[in-house]
């Protein structure tokens, strides 16, 4: 059946895969929902988006994104609220960040209307895929990439904007072991670290793989000049509780402006907690663990939500953090965030986008 949502044409799948989903064991990114949205950019403008059955797209091996890396993405989430409505969380903030990523990669911007109506259409088309289990959500992955076919090194004149969704559970199943990376670099000041571009992730695989072989889940990236200050953790920003204050590295051109980082900082301020966004040195972290002032460390991200850190390895030495209790700040923040997104607590900051 073909229908129209918010003036976007929808071609319904004839073969839904919904009954293949084990909603009690979702994992992260295992299942892709039935539909995707596709819009093309050509001759200086974005053309009508369309929702269609999820599937392969025609692609030439000469497509510029494959060669020169013009590809950016976002990670967002939709929730089923307690009154049954659908909520896409912090649409505007994700839109604003996507514009910055597009701009840094010489890719064309798009109107907020195109972004928002596209999200609404694709989420609505697969609303049955929104999980109801606690801690689960419909992960939304908008991606934009250069689709012109040419071997010359150039900024593409053609792009595709695709949105797919995936019902997901927690990104990490248990508290993580992190290794402070003192050799390799994710991003340098002036580079693309703040942009959510594909290359940042591809370049991080090798050191992360080495860390995995040593028994760690992720690395903590440090500054490219001196390896002295903490940046972020690749799949998430990093936050600490030191002396009762919420401390996180200040944003720079080498750190992703995480939406969850921003949300948790605001929620902590609302709870009367002092929030410090500043340089955080490895030396400070090591000393604060040793003298007991650092009581919590956690990753913050759309996928990671609030992911407790069990161990931080600095220069080959494991530092174990206290076990996490329900009264920990991170757990109170996580609950508050979840309650706002599902309508159990008032959305005083206007973060929910109800469709
Ligand atoms: C997200 O948190 O949405 C991310 O994009 C991180 C990772 C899954 C790539």
């Amino acid at each position: 059946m073909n229908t129209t949502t918010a003036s976007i044409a929808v071609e319904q799948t004839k073969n839904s895969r919904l009954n293949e989903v084990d909603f009690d064991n979702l994992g992260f990114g295992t299942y892709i929902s039935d539909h995707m949205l596709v819009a093309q950019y050509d001759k200086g403008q974005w053309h009508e988006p369309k929702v269609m059955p999820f599937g392969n797209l025609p692609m030439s091996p000469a497509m510029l994104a494959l060669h020169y890396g013009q590809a950016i993405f976002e990670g967002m989430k939709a929730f089923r609220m307690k009154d049954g409505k659908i909520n896409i969380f912090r649409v505007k903030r994700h839109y604003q960040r996507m514009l910055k990523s597009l701009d840094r990669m010489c890719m064309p911007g798009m109107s907020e209307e195109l972004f928002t109506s596209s999200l609404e259409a694709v989420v609505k088309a697969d609303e049955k895929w929104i999980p109801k289990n606690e801690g689960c959500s419909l992960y939304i992955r908008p991606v934009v990439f250069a689709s012109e076919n040419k071997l010359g090194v150039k900024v593409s004149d053609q792009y595709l904007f695709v949105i797919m969704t995936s019902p997901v559970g927690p990104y990490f199943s248990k508290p993580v072991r992190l290794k402070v990376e003192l050799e390799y670099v994710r991003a340098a000041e002036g580079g693309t670290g703040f942009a959510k571009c594909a290359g940042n992730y591809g370049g991080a695989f090798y050191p992360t793989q080495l860390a995995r072989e040593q028994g760690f889940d992720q690395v903590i990236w440090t500054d490219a000049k001196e390896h002295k200050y903490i940046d972020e953790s690749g799949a998430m920003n990093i936050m600490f509780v030191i002396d009762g204050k919420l401390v996180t590295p200040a944003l720079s051109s080498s750190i992703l402006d995480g939406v969850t980082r921003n949300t948790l900082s605001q929620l902590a301020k609302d709870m009367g907690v002092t929030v410090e966004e500043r340089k955080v040195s490895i030396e400070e972290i090591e000393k604060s663990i040793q003298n007991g002032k650092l009581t919590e460390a956690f990753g913050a991200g759309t996928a990671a939500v609030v992911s407790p850190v069990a161990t931080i390895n600095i220069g080959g030495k494991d530092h174990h953090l206290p076990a996490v209790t329900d009264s920990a700040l991170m757990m109170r923040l996580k609950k508050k965030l979840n309650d706002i997104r599902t309508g159990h607590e008032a959305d005083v900051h206007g973060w929910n986008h109800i469709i």
Side-chain angles (χ1 to χ4, degrees):
M1 183 181 58
N2 288 358
T3 53
T4 302
T5 308
S7 81
I8 293 180
V10 179
E11 181 195 340
Q12 299 278 357
T13 183
K14 292 187 181 69
N15 301 302
S16 174
R17 291 170 281 102
L18 186 59
N19 59 7
E20 293 166 18
V21 180
D22 178 358
F23 277 95
D24 292 324
N25 293 292
L26 285 173
F28 189 91
T30 313
Y31 302 103
I32 311 279
S33 316
D34 279 335
H35 298 89
M36 63 182 177
L37 176 133
V38 180
Q40 283 184 323
Y41 179 93
D42 192 16
K43 299 191 172 57
Q45 59 176 355
W46 285 105
H47 300 283
E48 258 325 88
K50 190 178 170 191
V51 173
M52 60 183 77
F54 179 81
N56 296 343
L57 294 168
M59 185 206 82
S60 158
M63 189 175 79
L64 279 169
L66 297 177
H67 300 258
Y68 308 122
Q70 274 185 294
I72 66 98
F73 67 96
E74 272 300 319
M76 310 176 62
K77 278 181 173 170
F79 300 83
R80 182 67 72 181
M81 303 187 78
K82 70 167 186 187
D83 62 3
K85 293 195 177 121
I86 301 166
N87 171 26
I88 310 179
F89 194 62
R90 302 213 66 179
V91 171
K92 201 177 186 74
R93 184 103 190 167
H94 282 282
Y95 167 69
Q96 287 163 342
R97 185 173 68 181
M98 190 182 74
L99 285 189
K100 287 185 193 155
S101 302
L102 289 167
D103 187 52
R104 180 62 179 83
M105 298 305 289
C106 290
M107 297 164 75
M110 69 179 70
S111 69
E112 193 170 344
E113 157 65 16
L114 171 61
F115 183 70
T116 307
S117 58
S118 297
L119 285 171
E120 288 179 357
V122 76
V123 169
K124 198 96 190 72
D126 281 329
E127 66 168 297
K128 291 199 183 108
W129 289 71
I130 303 174
K132 295 188 186 77
N133 290 1
E134 207 189 312
C136 299
S137 56
L138 189 72
Y139 185 75
I140 309 170
R141 174 54 65 83
V143 57
V144 186
F145 55 93
S147 56
E148 184 182 345
N149 304 320
K150 199 163 243 175
L151 291 187
V153 183
K154 73 178 283 279
V155 170
S156 182
D157 286 326
Q158 292 164 344
Y159 296 88
L160 283 177
F161 170 41
V162 179
I163 309 179
M164 64 206 95
T165 67
S166 168
V168 297
Y171 192 71
F172 295 110
S173 52
K174 56 179 177 29
V176 291
R177 282 171 54 76
L178 301 180
K179 173 191 167 186
V180 173
E181 181 54 61
L182 298 171
E183 184 182 354
Y184 297 99
V185 165
R186 171 186 174 271
E189 287 275 356
T192 59
F194 70 95
K196 210 160 170 61
C197 59
N200 288 344
Y201 294 82
F205 282 156
Y206 182 74
T208 306
Q209 203 55 36
L210 292 181
R212 289 231 166 94
E213 285 163 16
Q214 295 159 6
F216 301 100
D217 297 292
Q218 297 259 306
V219 301
I220 297 181
W221 297 106
T222 52
D223 72 281
K225 262 193 207 145
E226 302 176 279
H227 289 300
K228 240 169 115 176
Y229 298 97
I230 289 173
D231 270 0
E232 57 157 269
S233 187
M236 55 199 187
N237 294 106
I238 186 109
M239 304 186 113
F240 304 95
V241 178
I242 304 174
D243 258 342
K245 297 175 195 149
L246 184 64
V247 178
T248 192
L251 294 177
S252 73
S253 57
S254 62
I255 298 181
L256 188 79
D257 183 359
V259 176
T260 309
R261 173 190 178 280
N262 173 273
T263 304
L264 297 179
S265 299
Q266 184 58 55
L267 292 180
K269 285 178 200 160
D270 294 350
M271 287 160 68
V273 175
T274 303
V275 177
E276 291 182 354
E277 297 188 28
R278 58 169 170 79
K279 275 183 176 277
V280 181
S281 71
I282 303 161
E283 193 185 352
E284 175 186 358
I285 294 305
E286 189 160 29
K287 276 200 184 130
S288 306
I289 297 176
Q290 281 162 351
N291 64 23
K293 289 188 174 176
L294 192 155
T295 49
E296 301 177 31
F298 56 98
T302 299
V305 192
V306 170
S307 290
V309 176
T311 305
I312 300 180
N313 182 285
I314 305 174
K317 187 166 185 283
D318 273 356
H319 297 271
H320 301 292
L321 299 180
V324 180
T325 62
D326 282 348
S327 62
L329 177 62
M330 70 171 104
M331 297 316 278
R332 288 183 286 133
L333 288 171
K334 186 177 175 184
K335 181 173 181 324
K336 213 171 168 52
L337 171 63
N338 196 42
D339 285 351
I340 292 170
R341 301 202 281 202
T342 52
H344 289 88
E345 189 167 322
D347 172 29
V348 295
H349 297 287
W351 290 334
N352 292 341
H353 181 89
I354 314 291
I355 57 170

